[in-house]
Amino acid sequence: METFAEGITTRVPFAVKVGALWESLDEFHLVSETAIEIGVRELLTEAGTPAEGTSATSLAAMREMEAKIRVKTDMLPSTGRNVSPGKLRTLLAGESLGE
Protein backbone atom coordinates (compact mmCIF):
# COMPACT_ATOMS: atom_id res chain seq x y z
CA MET A 1 0.00 0.00 0.00
CA GLU A 2 1.41 3.36 -0.97
CA THR A 3 0.21 6.51 0.71
CA PHE A 4 1.48 9.82 2.01
CA ALA A 5 0.27 8.64 5.46
CA GLU A 6 2.89 5.90 5.55
CA GLY A 7 2.97 5.78 9.36
CA ILE A 8 -0.46 4.12 9.51
CA THR A 9 -0.21 1.72 6.60
CA THR A 10 0.23 -2.00 6.62
CA ARG A 11 0.11 -4.57 3.87
CA VAL A 12 -1.26 -7.23 6.20
CA PRO A 13 -3.50 -6.26 9.14
CA PHE A 14 -2.51 -7.72 12.49
CA ALA A 15 -5.38 -9.70 14.03
CA VAL A 16 -4.84 -8.48 17.61
CA LYS A 17 -4.76 -4.80 16.62
CA VAL A 18 -7.69 -5.07 14.23
CA GLY A 19 -9.70 -6.93 16.90
CA ALA A 20 -8.98 -4.19 19.44
CA LEU A 21 -10.05 -1.52 16.95
CA TRP A 22 -13.33 -3.26 16.14
CA GLU A 23 -14.10 -3.62 19.85
CA SER A 24 -13.30 0.02 20.65
CA LEU A 25 -14.41 2.08 17.64
CA ASP A 26 -17.94 3.18 16.89
CA GLU A 27 -17.01 4.03 13.32
CA PHE A 28 -14.07 3.73 10.95
CA HIS A 29 -13.68 6.37 8.24
CA LEU A 30 -11.33 6.20 5.25
CA VAL A 31 -9.98 9.44 3.79
CA SER A 32 -8.44 10.20 0.42
CA GLU A 33 -4.86 11.21 -0.25
CA THR A 34 -6.14 14.62 -1.32
CA ALA A 35 -7.95 15.08 2.02
CA ILE A 36 -4.76 14.14 3.88
CA GLU A 37 -2.70 16.61 1.85
CA ILE A 38 -5.23 19.37 2.56
CA GLY A 39 -5.04 18.44 6.26
CA VAL A 40 -1.25 18.84 6.24
CA ARG A 41 -1.63 22.28 4.65
CA GLU A 42 -4.30 23.32 7.16
CA LEU A 43 -2.28 22.16 10.15
CA LEU A 44 0.69 24.23 9.01
CA THR A 45 -1.14 27.34 7.84
CA GLU A 46 -3.94 27.47 10.45
CA ALA A 47 -2.25 25.98 13.54
CA GLY A 48 1.43 26.52 12.75
CA THR A 49 2.05 22.81 13.17
CA PRO A 50 4.18 20.96 10.62
CA ALA A 51 2.69 17.50 10.25
CA GLU A 52 3.24 14.33 8.31
CA GLY A 53 0.39 12.63 6.49
CA THR A 54 -0.33 10.24 9.34
CA SER A 55 -0.90 13.14 11.69
CA ALA A 56 -3.33 14.84 9.29
CA THR A 57 -5.63 11.84 8.80
CA SER A 58 -7.74 12.63 11.85
CA LEU A 59 -8.21 16.23 10.67
CA ALA A 60 -9.12 14.99 7.20
CA ALA A 61 -11.73 12.63 8.66
CA MET A 62 -13.13 15.33 10.92
CA ARG A 63 -13.51 17.72 7.98
CA GLU A 64 -15.38 15.07 5.97
CA MET A 65 -17.64 14.21 8.91
CA GLU A 66 -18.20 17.78 10.10
CA ALA A 67 -21.98 17.55 9.85
CA LYS A 68 -22.02 14.51 12.16
CA ILE A 69 -19.78 16.09 14.79
CA ARG A 70 -21.86 18.28 17.05
CA VAL A 71 -19.50 19.32 19.81
CA LYS A 72 -18.00 22.67 20.69
CA THR A 73 -14.47 21.38 21.21
CA ASP A 74 -12.75 18.77 19.07
CA MET A 75 -9.61 16.92 20.08
CA LEU A 76 -7.64 15.13 17.40
CA PRO A 77 -4.68 12.82 17.81
CA SER A 78 -1.53 14.25 16.32
CA THR A 79 0.99 11.48 15.85
CA GLY A 80 3.92 12.86 13.95
CA ARG A 81 5.64 15.93 12.60
CA ASN A 82 8.39 14.22 10.65
CA VAL A 83 7.63 15.68 7.22
CA SER A 84 10.30 16.69 4.74
CA PRO A 85 10.67 20.35 3.75
CA GLY A 86 10.29 19.33 0.10
CA LYS A 87 6.91 17.69 0.71
CA LEU A 88 5.75 20.69 2.70
CA ARG A 89 6.80 23.08 -0.08
CA THR A 90 4.92 20.97 -2.64
CA LEU A 91 1.76 20.90 -0.54
CA LEU A 92 1.91 24.60 0.34
CA ALA A 93 2.18 25.37 -3.37
CA GLY A 94 -1.20 23.62 -3.75
CA GLU A 95 0.31 20.69 -5.61
CA SER A 96 -0.38 17.01 -4.97
CA LEU A 97 2.35 14.61 -3.99
CA GLY A 98 0.85 12.22 -6.55
CA GLU A 99 1.47 9.05 -4.60
Side-chain angles (χ1 to χ4, degrees):
M1 177 178 293
E2 292 187 28
T3 177
F4 175 50
E6 56 204 27
I8 58 171
T9 62
T10 181
R11 290 190 190 281
V12 179
F14 296 98
V16 172
K17 291 179 183 179
V18 170
L21 287 172
W22 282 115
E23 290 174 13
S24 303
L25 295 176
D26 293 328
E27 188 172 341
F28 192 85
H29 187 80
L30 296 176
V31 294
S32 69
E33 290 292 302
T34 300
I36 295 168
E37 291 173 354
I38 291 168
V40 169
R41 272 194 298 273
E42 283 186 2
L43 284 169
L44 185 60
T45 60
E46 303 294 323
T49 303
E52 61 188 45
T54 299
S55 189
T57 57
S58 56
L59 177 61
M62 185 199 75
R63 292 284 189 236
E64 290 181 2
M65 300 174 65
E66 218 165 346
K68 291 176 81 174
I69 300 172
R70 303 195 192 286
V71 295
K72 293 182 180 181
T73 302
D74 294 324
M75 292 180 60
L76 304 171
S78 179
T79 58
R81 297 190 309 166
N82 187 23
V83 61
S84 75
K87 285 184 180 181
L88 274 181
R89 277 192 294 277
T90 300
L91 293 173
L92 287 174
E95 300 172 19
S96 175
L97 294 173
E99 293 184 12

